[in-house]
Amino acid sequence: MMIDSAFFDSLNPAQHRKCYNFIRSRASANDAILTSGDERLKALPHHQRIALHDMLKHEAAFLEEFAPTVVDLVKTPGSTRHEIATTLQTHYPLLSKSFYLDRADVLWDLALRLMVHYGRIRTFQTTDALEQMLMETDFGGDVPAAWFRLPFEEIFIEFGEHRGFPITINDSESGEHIIEGAYVMSGLSLGKPGKPLVRGFDLIIFGSPVGKRTALDDCFIHMGLPINDEEKPISDVVQDVVDFYASQGDFPNKHAFRPVVEHVAKVLVYLGTKDARQHQVAEGSEARRRINALKSPAKREKAQRQAARLYDRIVVGPAELPEDLAGGDGCGSGGVRPHVRRGHFRAQAYGPQHSLRRPVWIQPTLVGKDRISGEVAHPAYVIQ
């Protein structure tokens, strides 16, 4: 990391030392990650990998000293990555140029790291069972974009307990990456020309470093999702965005947009159903409490290494597939091989004169299962 002379000249001796301490500590943390032989670290979600060896803690402490206005903005609910990046550029131009090359993409990455560090991002992890069921589910044409809503302003959705999402993205240097999940952030977006701002989302889709050289060997793609028409079917809104990015001359990994955005939408609709299964996992918080109670530096260091793989999240979905979908590999005695009938989300009429609409999930089901083990009930989950 190079320090621009103008920035360095603006510091007093005490700040010089703090600046150099940050550079050394960050470099040390980065080296520790790059040289780690622990394959399990690669399977962590992005927000955990970038926090390994206190990398985020060091950077946040540095910016609290040299860019306090930026940190205050990060801590302000509703502030966006664009606003955070712009504030650093305008209030601390020498710092922006020296440490972050004064590049918008680098500053947006910084903003995301700070949002992670200061607890802005809530993590949802789908179960492998829910992943499989949603892969076998489609959106009906009557499911409106109005139902694409987040439970919190900024979330990260981790696709499954293991890296099994069927779509990959590619990086020119590191090759093919399994998609591990996506950040989804609420905000306002430019809609149609001449129209007011509309509800929109910032999506950052991350490719996992599983199978790569180091835990930092990942990749990502970014896209915006404006909701220009709340009543338009979700599937059509997604297609509009896909078509827009497809029209851009040089935009890699376009193939991933539709399956990823549709999958995110399915998770969000599922979260809104009254029977959605979700439970809080507080492994990270519990580990930190245990570590803080330790007196021995050696024991604390060992515990911190072990705790690196633990993080808080909300686990969403059933632990296992429904009985009718599990173990359906055999053939029925009547000669009809059991097969999965795809599920779907659709709008259900209810209320006075059936004038209102709410989403209902018709789960995927195994047709022909009764030939093997008898009839099975198929529940539907409804958003209230």
Side-chain angles (χ1 to χ4, degrees), residues 129-208:
L130 182 63
E131 284 289 299
Q132 184 172 334
M133 295 174 73
L134 292 181
M135 289 297 175
E136 299 289 349
T137 297
D138 301 312
F139 277 118
D142 56 358
V143 177
W147 293 347
F148 192 109
R149 295 189 180 274
L150 306 186
F152 300 96
E153 289 297 308
E154 299 100 8
I155 66 175
F156 180 83
I157 302 177
E158 185 178 358
F159 295 169
E161 301 150 283
H162 304 89
R163 297 292 175 256
F165 196 72
I167 307 297
T168 60
I169 55 178
N170 292 279
D171 180 79
S172 58
E173 296 182 0
S174 55
E176 194 173 41
H177 292 255
I178 300 168
I179 292 178
E180 67 180 17
Y183 291 94
V184 191
M185 304 180 186
S186 301
L188 295 176
S189 177
L190 292 174
K192 297 179 180 179
K195 299 292 185 179
L197 294 176
V198 298
R199 194 168 63 91
F201 301 91
D202 191 15
L203 280 81
I204 313 167
I205 304 164
F206 264 89
S208 170

Side-chain angles (χ1 to χ4, degrees), residues 11-12 24 28 34 74 79 112 128 130 142 154 205 252 268 279 289 305 332-333 342 350 359:
L11 307 180
N12 60 43
R24 285 195 297 267
S28 177
L34 294 178
V74 174
S79 60
L112 176 61
D128 290 344
L130 182 63
D142 56 358
E154 299 100 8
I205 304 164
L268 296 179
H279 67 276
R289 284 194 292 270
R305 289 197 303 270
S333 59
R342 294 185 65 80
Y350 75 104

Side-chain angles (χ1 to χ4, degrees), residues 252-303:
N253 294 302
K254 299 170 187 175
H255 67 278
F257 291 165
R258 185 176 186 94
V260 171
V261 178
E262 280 198 340
H263 193 67
V264 167
K266 292 174 189 177
V267 173
L268 296 179
V269 173
Y270 172 80
L271 282 171
T273 63
K274 66 176 183 179
D275 294 317
R277 302 182 190 180
Q278 52 183 304
H279 67 276
Q280 181 79 41
V281 175
E283 294 174 342
S285 298
E286 293 169 0
R288 286 190 292 272
R289 284 194 292 270
R290 291 194 299 269
I291 291 170
N292 291 335
L294 296 175
K295 303 300 182 183
S296 167
K299 290 183 178 179
R300 285 175 63 91
E301 183 178 353
K302 180 180 178 180

Side-chain angles (χ1 to χ4, degrees), residues 325-345:
L325 288 179
D329 295 330
C331 290
S333 59
V336 177
R337 183 177 180 84
H339 61 280
V340 174
R341 176 183 292 153
R342 294 185 65 80
H344 59 278
F345 290 105

Side-chain angles (χ1 to χ4, degrees), residues 1 18-19 21-27 29-30 46 50-68 70-71 74 84 88 95-96 98-101 106-118:
M1 180 180 291
K18 291 180 179 179
C19 185
N21 286 340
F22 162 66
I23 295 173
R24 285 195 297 267
S25 61
R26 183 171 175 82
N30 188 72
H46 174 260
I50 60 175
L52 291 171
H53 297 280
D54 289 334
M55 278 187 49
L56 292 187
K57 182 178 178 181
H58 295 315
E59 186 166 40
F62 170 75
L63 291 171
E64 286 175 1
E65 172 69 24
F66 292 99
V70 171
V71 173
V74 174
I84 295 166
L88 182 59
L95 174 61
S96 176
S98 177
F99 280 82
Y100 303 105
L101 308 178
V106 177
L107 292 169
W108 279 44
D109 289 347
L110 167 66
L112 176 61
R113 294 197 298 273
L114 293 175
M115 293 170 79
V116 167
H117 178 74
Y118 289 105

